[in-house]
Amino acid sequence: MKKKLSVFLTLFSAGAMMFAEEAEEAAAASAAGGVSAIKYIAAAIAVGLACIAGGLAVGKIGSAAMGAMSENPEVSGKALPFVGLAEGICLWGMLVAVLILVL
């Protein structure tokens, strides 16, 4: 196990050193375009956090809805809109990301 780990770490560090030189050159070339890079990072954070929050919300609401429907099948029509509202969180995150990139 230790041998496999040491081989993996050696290969990983060798690959990192090879690409480090290219990354330094690319970073120097794109230093002027740093504002656009911040926009992409902000958009990624907006979508990422919104999708994580939406997933957590759908998980909790979905499990509660399934439990309620197992006891009373007539509740299914009342539970679906709440799941849709939780999924809307992800759409709002995507909308915010598009606005960040466009404006």
Side-chain angles (χ1 to χ4, degrees):
M1 181 69 184
K2 289 184 180 181
K3 185 176 181 180
K4 289 181 182 179
L5 182 64
S6 64
V7 169
F8 173 74
L9 290 176
T10 303
L11 291 175
F12 183 75
S13 62
M17 286 188 286
M18 287 187 336
F19 291 113
E21 294 175 7
E22 294 177 13
E24 289 176 7
E25 293 170 3
S30 68
V35 175
S36 65
I38 292 173
K39 288 172 75 171
Y40 289 119
I41 292 171
I45 290 171
V47 171
L49 291 178
C51 287
I52 289 171
L56 292 173
V58 168
K60 290 185 179 193
I61 293 171
S63 65
M66 288 295 141
M69 283 189 284
S70 67
E71 294 177 6
N72 187 5
E74 293 141 7
V75 181
S76 64
K78 295 178 182 176
L80 288 177
F82 292 111
V83 175
L85 287 172
E87 287 179 2
I89 296 171
C90 300
L91 295 174
W92 280 107
M94 188 179 75
L95 179 67
V96 168
V98 168
L99 289 174
I100 288 172
L101 292 175
V102 171
L103 298 178

